[in-house]
Amino acid sequence: MFDSGLGGLTVVRALRSALPDEDIVYLGDTARVPYGTKGPETVIRYALGCSRHLVARGVKAIVIACNTVSAVAPDHVRAALDVPVLGVIDPGARAAVAATSSGRVGILATAGTIASGAYPRAVATQSTRVEAIGQAAPLLVPLAEEGWLEGDVPRLAVERYLAPLADAGVDVVVLGCTHYPLFRDLIEREAQRMISPNVRIVDSARATADDVVAFLNDRGLRADPRPTGGSIRVCVTDRSGQFHAIASRFLGEAIEAPELVDL
Ligand code: DGL
């Protein structure tokens, strides 16, 4: 699994609870994070570098935990490396289509993901009657990294980002970025207040974990159950002083020292 940084550990967390016996190698490109503000050519180039590194480690499949990468790069990685690649956009779009009654779903994501149009495309392949309305919510990424998850600053940012979605009449809000599950309670509360008490929140991390389970089952690739469970190996391209605090916040459990890799 790889991500632009440590936010993808929210996807590891979801995957771990669905697939406790799998060994997971997680590569966080902490030297080059964020990807969400960069153009598609750069993101594709970075994604190929991360994927080559994981293939060299002998992985059986790659899960792209990053929404921004999943929006633009999966086909490029598949074509270049001939490895099964799963992203987070299709599962999130599928879950959103299943959850909506009004036929209008809101997507919160990075500027890069919104600009790519990947969510509206993925939603359109699921249903011609559902429309996806995107809203870039870039400030939530640094706030999550800072651990600033409650209080006036994140609440005002969430309110600002939800307003256009409320105006558009959505009844589902997709957390279309690795960092946003950390704001799930806040986003849900504000969405219930601003949109409707019945608004549904879709966490693409969980939807992706379900997809990976189905993929491994279909291919007979699932690891055998082990009393100790699978391992998590975390690799990073830069070891910042904040690693342990940030990583354990996203993963929800203590984490061993990361391995430093050079792509
Ligand atoms: N991992 C990115 C995503 O899910 C968020 C952080 C970044 O901008 O790199 O889109």
Side-chain angles (χ1 to χ4, degrees):
M1 187 178 301
F2 74 93
D3 177 44
S4 55
L6 300 175
L9 289 168
T10 54
V11 186
V12 174
R13 186 179 192 166
L15 205 66
R16 280 282 278 183
S17 68
L19 292 164
D21 297 308
E22 298 297 332
D23 289 331
I24 298 173
V25 183
Y26 178 91
L27 171 60
D29 192 5
T30 46
R32 298 186 293 200
V33 69
Y35 286 7
T37 50
K38 299 191 170 81
E41 295 82 8
T42 305
V43 173
I44 291 165
R45 184 159 48 85
Y46 290 174
L48 286 170
C50 293
S51 302
R52 278 196 190 98
H53 181 87
L54 292 176
V55 167
R57 284 174 177 257
V59 300
K60 60 188 174 189
I62 292 180
V63 178
I64 301 178
C66 181
N67 284 257
T68 308
V69 176
S70 299
V72 296
D75 287 343
H76 296 270
V77 175
R78 285 184 196 108
L81 298 177
D82 194 23
V83 65
V85 177
L86 293 97
V88 288
I89 303 259
D90 289 337
R94 205 175 312 127
V97 168
T100 183
S101 310
S102 72
R104 295 173 80 74
V105 301
I107 314 291
L108 292 177
T110 64
T113 300
I114 296 300
S116 74
Y119 269 104
R121 270 197 305 280
V123 163
T125 63
Q126 298 294 320
S127 167
T128 49
R129 272 172 295 185
V130 180
E131 190 186 347
I133 295 101
Q135 173 61 46
L139 279 181
L140 299 185
V141 170
L143 285 173
E145 304 247 333
E146 197 62 32
W148 213 341
L149 307 181
E150 288 289 345
D152 288 346
V153 174
R155 190 181 49 72
L156 288 171
V158 164
E159 189 178 67
R160 181 82 166 254
Y161 293 142
L162 284 177
L165 301 183
D167 289 346
V170 306
D171 65 348
V172 171
V173 176
V174 178
L175 308 181
C177 170
T178 46
H179 288 56
Y180 302 171
L182 267 64
F183 296 102
R184 191 196 164 105
D185 291 347
L186 175 63
I187 291 172
E188 190 156 30
R189 258 196 330 268
E190 289 300 305
Q192 283 171 343
R193 186 177 64 75
M194 296 171 65
I195 299 173
S196 143
N198 301 321
V199 68
R200 302 272 302 272
I201 306 295
V202 166
D203 176 351
S204 60
R206 266 191 222 166
T208 300
D210 294 344
D211 233 39
V212 178
V213 171
F215 167 82
L216 294 179
N217 285 344
D218 287 353
R219 308 255 179 137
L221 284 175
R222 216 154 147 173
D224 292 329
R226 282 177 282 174
T228 50
S231 61
I232 304 182
R233 180 104 201 99
V234 176
C235 309
V236 291
T237 51
D238 175 75
R239 219 182 306 200
S240 82
Q242 288 289 307
F243 173 81
H244 281 284
I246 297 175
S248 49
R249 187 179 312 134
F250 285 115
L251 187 61
E253 59 182 272
I255 195 162
E256 283 183 17
E259 186 183 325
L260 188 62
V261 301
D262 186 7
L263 301 179

